[in-house]
Amino acid sequence: MQSEGNSRRKRPKKKGSRFMRNAKGFAKQGIFGRGTHIDDEQFNYFINILDAMKVGFEDVEERVIMANNVFEQTHNQEIHLASNQIVSKALESLVGFVDDVQLERFFSKFGDNLRPMCSDRFASHVLQKMLEIAFLRGVGKSAIQDSSDAVSSNKRAKPDAAQEEEEYNLQADFNEDHREKCRQFVLRVSKFMLNNLEDFVWDACASHIMRTAILCLVGMHVPKIAFEKGGTEIAKHRKMYSVPDEWQEVMKEFPQRLEMWPQFGDFPYQEHSSSLLGVICLALSVVDKSMLKHFAKKILTIGLLKSNEEDEDEKKELDVKIEIKDGDDEKEDKVQKKTESDTENKQEEPKLPKVFHHQSSVILLETIMSVAGAKLLIQLYTMLFYKRIGYLARQPGTNFSIQRLLQHIKEVSDFESVFTELQPHVPELLKMGYTGVVSALSAACLRLGTKQSQMIAALQSALQVSGDKEKSKLFLTCLIKLKPFEVVTSDESTFVHLHGSLIAQHLLQFNKPIFLVNCILDLPATQLAQVFNTPNGSHIVDAFMLSKFIGEKSRERLIRQLDGFYVDLAITRHGSRVFEQCFKAAQDAQKLRMAKELFSKANMLKGSPHGRIIYTKYRLDTYKLSPTQWQESLSKHLDTEQPKETKRKTAKTATEAFKDILS
């Protein structure tokens, strides 16, 4: 692996209050933001606006009023002000809430100066945001098709800034003329980017606008929020809208033109062009699967399969002898041994194509795998990963690629080949801390329904608990900590590893989870309660109760085992979830015992915010009036309840269930 491949994935830098601190510091020196010059009065005005936005607004109306007031201050200075660092931040944050007149004025000013605006490092952010807002207003709420984060958004009690902005632009009462002008602006900017591909593909600022334009043309919305984290996980946080057919045809011209360039093979190895290819693949996965297959194949054959020319340069450097002054034999021996050691390591390393030596190309490969069909995935596996899986899984720059391959691989025969390569490396992967690969491997075993017993055996061996009954009893403890038996025996902490918890959940849903089930049931109740009271450990109970291959008797035994600990669970955030899962799965007699246990310590329960929710949700105050009637009402409610779909509505329906008691 070369220098770029050896480094770990770059984490996004935090830019919170430091930006404002630096801006105010530079202002004392007479520097009022980078870019175009503004006077101190303008600087103070926009800094105050940014400060006010950081504090937040009570409602959308306040934000709309502020946005219109701020944009009024930019009359006849739109281009000049947008090209200033401080002003561009304010405009970008507020452009989603301006009225139609203000936005159309900016459409006109920016439209007449598109070329300089696309390349300006500050005004380009405003233009990119305007493109997003024009898209939302142009398509309208009726065009929404699908939301990949619908589940997560339902869980949020309060909408975030991106949701508020999106809802406002979709639902606000804009006239059809304004919406048509918004659609025209999206098409105008997109066609301008298409006609100037040669200039903008390599441009750091224009490349971002081009990617936004491509996503808009296929109806994919990914919010861009000033001061918020970037959209690095585009495929994860997006919403789909219906768009005119003309837009999709314009989008298809981007890959058609790019693949004809002689530099196409170098695109994966440069940051901006690689990201552009990734966005095009995402867009094609929505509008044209056959074109995606053709385009991705071209990326694979022309770009990703390139040999790594840098290997030759490295070999030449190894051949250069180090001169030792004064005939120092000891130093000469050390140098010789080091050279021999490096040569041995080189011999162990498989010859890798260039794609695995650059972070940008590795990320592009992961994107292609996430949208590829079964046949394309087979080609990617055969040409790039076959007989290299074990080595790539142990490298910091490529183990994520192995995880993506495991997440998306569709053919059982291919997965079995991958499993055979990875299985011997499971102990080393755990030791090196690349636990995500092991978690992805167990998840693939569950998804494809194969190699499950071998996966359990590999984990037993890696955690040093196989072949000994006493050691085997601690398999769960070793698994949730992802530490071998010798280390776990001296570890008294309640720590539960995220990937350890995920692997345990996968194993519990295997076809034959009896070994892990027995390990859980053999643990002391005190230790079980501690594990289930952690953020990661609490989800193990979900898998245990919902698994199709765990019998009722095993569930009942676990529920009985936790008797005496339900109050301790109910008063904590994560433990209260465990209580609810156990209560749902319990038989009527056990539910009465659980209710009795909670009611006996009602004061302790009501002394905790989470305990109060449980107390109110299950109406434990009515238990003392008539336990039998309480049980009957609750049984009727549970019989008619849809566990998965109405999970969050339990409190409401429980209240309805106890109407006959309260009346």
Side-chain angles (χ1 to χ4, degrees), residues 15 18-24 26-27 31-38 43 46-47 50 53 79-93 120-126 226-227:
K15 298 181 179 177
R18 188 171 56 185
F19 170 79
M20 299 292 288
R21 236 183 2 253
N22 290 345
K24 292 173 182 177
F26 280 117
I31 304 171
F32 303 117
R34 298 176 183 176
T36 53
H37 177 73
I38 59 175
F43 173 82
F46 284 103
I47 278 289
L50 291 173
M53 285 192 291
I79 303 301
H80 177 79
L81 290 175
S83 301
N84 177 271
Q85 182 185 23
I86 305 300
V87 182
S88 73
K89 284 284 186 186
L91 297 180
E92 180 189 346
S93 301
D120 188 278
R121 56 179 176 162
F122 302 120
S124 61
H125 288 278
V126 181
F227 296 114

Side-chain angles (χ1 to χ4, degrees), residues 483-510:
K483 294 177 181 178
F485 176 81
E486 293 180 358
V487 178
V488 165
T489 51
S490 58
D491 183 1
E492 297 180 359
S493 70
T494 58
F495 169 75
V496 177
H497 197 290
L498 171 61
H499 289 141
S501 172
L502 289 172
I503 295 169
Q505 292 170 54
H506 299 151
L507 267 56
L508 286 170
Q509 296 175 75
F510 279 6

Side-chain angles (χ1 to χ4, degrees), residues 45-57:
Y45 174 78
F46 284 103
I47 278 289
N48 289 336
I49 293 297
L50 291 173
D51 282 333
M53 285 192 291
K54 285 189 70 177
V55 172
F57 301 90

Side-chain angles (χ1 to χ4, degrees), residues 439-473:
S439 175
L441 186 63
S442 64
C445 290
L446 172 62
R447 179 169 57 88
L448 298 171
T450 185
K451 295 291 182 182
Q452 295 182 352
S453 58
Q454 291 91 328
M455 184 71 213
I456 295 174
L459 288 167
Q460 287 176 288
S461 176
L463 297 171
Q464 301 171 6
V465 297
S466 57
D468 188 306
K469 287 186 178 180
E470 292 303 315
K471 287 183 178 180
S472 295
K473 290 180 180 179

Side-chain angles (χ1 to χ4, degrees), residues 137-138 173-183:
R137 293 188 183 184
D173 189 21
F174 298 113
N175 58 51
E176 185 56 33
D177 179 60
H178 176 63
R179 293 191 184 278
E180 179 59 31
K181 286 180 179 176
C182 288
R183 289 191 286 269

Side-chain angles (χ1 to χ4, degrees), residues 235-461:
K236 191 176 179 182
H237 304 289
R238 64 181 181 186
K239 286 187 179 179
M240 294 302 305
Y241 295 86
S242 299
V243 293
D245 293 339
E246 181 190 1
W247 288 18
Q248 297 183 1
E249 293 305 315
V250 172
M251 181 270 143
K252 291 178 185 179
E253 288 191 47
F254 282 92
Q256 288 170 352
R257 291 194 189 184
L258 285 174
E259 67 182 19
M260 297 174 68
W261 286 20
Q263 308 99 318
F264 188 75
D266 297 323
F267 280 8
Y269 307 104
Q270 300 182 31
E271 182 183 353
H272 299 297
S273 55
S274 173
S275 299
L276 177 62
L277 293 184
V279 165
I280 289 174
C281 287
L282 281 172
L284 287 176
S285 70
V286 174
V287 296
D288 195 328
K289 298 281 186 182
S290 60
M291 193 172 181
L292 166 65
K293 185 177 178 182
H294 167 77
F295 188 67
K297 271 188 181 179
K298 192 140 191 175
I299 295 173
L300 172 64
T301 52
I302 296 178
L304 303 184
L305 283 174
K306 273 188 175 184
S307 61
N308 187 40
E309 302 89 351
E310 295 173 2
D311 281 342
E312 298 301 323
D313 298 333
E314 188 175 351
K315 285 179 182 177
K316 288 178 183 177
E317 290 176 11
L318 286 172
D319 291 338
V320 177
K321 292 184 178 180
I322 302 173
E323 293 183 4
I324 310 292
K325 293 184 179 180
D326 302 325
D328 193 333
D329 293 336
E330 188 178 346
K331 285 185 179 180
E332 190 173 341
D333 289 340
K334 286 181 181 179
V335 171
Q336 187 176 355
K337 286 177 182 177
K338 188 177 186 302
T339 307
E340 289 173 359
S341 173
D342 290 343
T343 306
E344 287 176 7
N345 290 336
K346 283 287 171 188
Q347 289 174 352
E348 290 178 8
E349 294 180 10
K351 188 175 181 181
L352 298 177
K354 188 178 179 181
V355 58
F356 293 118
H357 293 264
H358 296 265
Q359 183 177 317
S360 60
S361 55
V362 169
I363 294 174
L364 173 61
L365 174 60
E366 293 172 13
T367 303
I368 294 174
M369 285 193 291
S370 70
V371 297
K375 290 183 179 179
L376 180 56
L377 263 176
I378 291 173
Q379 290 177 323
L380 289 168
Y381 166 65
T382 306
M383 295 180 181
L384 296 175
F385 293 97
Y386 184 62
K387 290 189 176 179
R388 299 171 177 139
I389 295 285
Y391 176 77
L392 293 171
R394 290 174 286 144
Q395 304 306 310
T398 56
N399 74 84
F400 294 101
S401 300
I402 303 300
Q403 294 180 45
R404 299 296 172 270
L405 177 67
L406 289 167
Q407 287 167 5
H408 298 287
I409 198 165
K410 296 175 175 66
E411 296 295 327
V412 173
S413 57
D414 291 329
F415 170 70
E416 288 176 348
S417 176
V418 173
F419 186 90
T420 303
E421 284 192 61
L422 267 181
Q423 186 178 8
H425 300 287
V426 170
E428 190 177 356
L429 288 168
L430 294 179
K431 188 176 180 181
M432 295 174 73
Y434 297 151
T435 53
V437 178
V438 184
S439 175
L441 186 63
S442 64
C445 290
L446 172 62
R447 179 169 57 88
L448 298 171
T450 185
K451 295 291 182 182
Q452 295 182 352
S453 58
Q454 291 91 328
M455 184 71 213
I456 295 174
L459 288 167
Q460 287 176 288
S461 176

Side-chain angles (χ1 to χ4, degrees), residues 562-582:
L562 290 172
D563 277 345
F565 292 92
Y566 285 115
V567 175
D568 294 334
L569 290 170
I571 61 175
T572 63
R573 178 181 178 182
H574 304 288
S576 59
R577 284 187 60 260
V578 174
F579 171 82
E580 291 191 54
Q581 286 294 340
C582 291

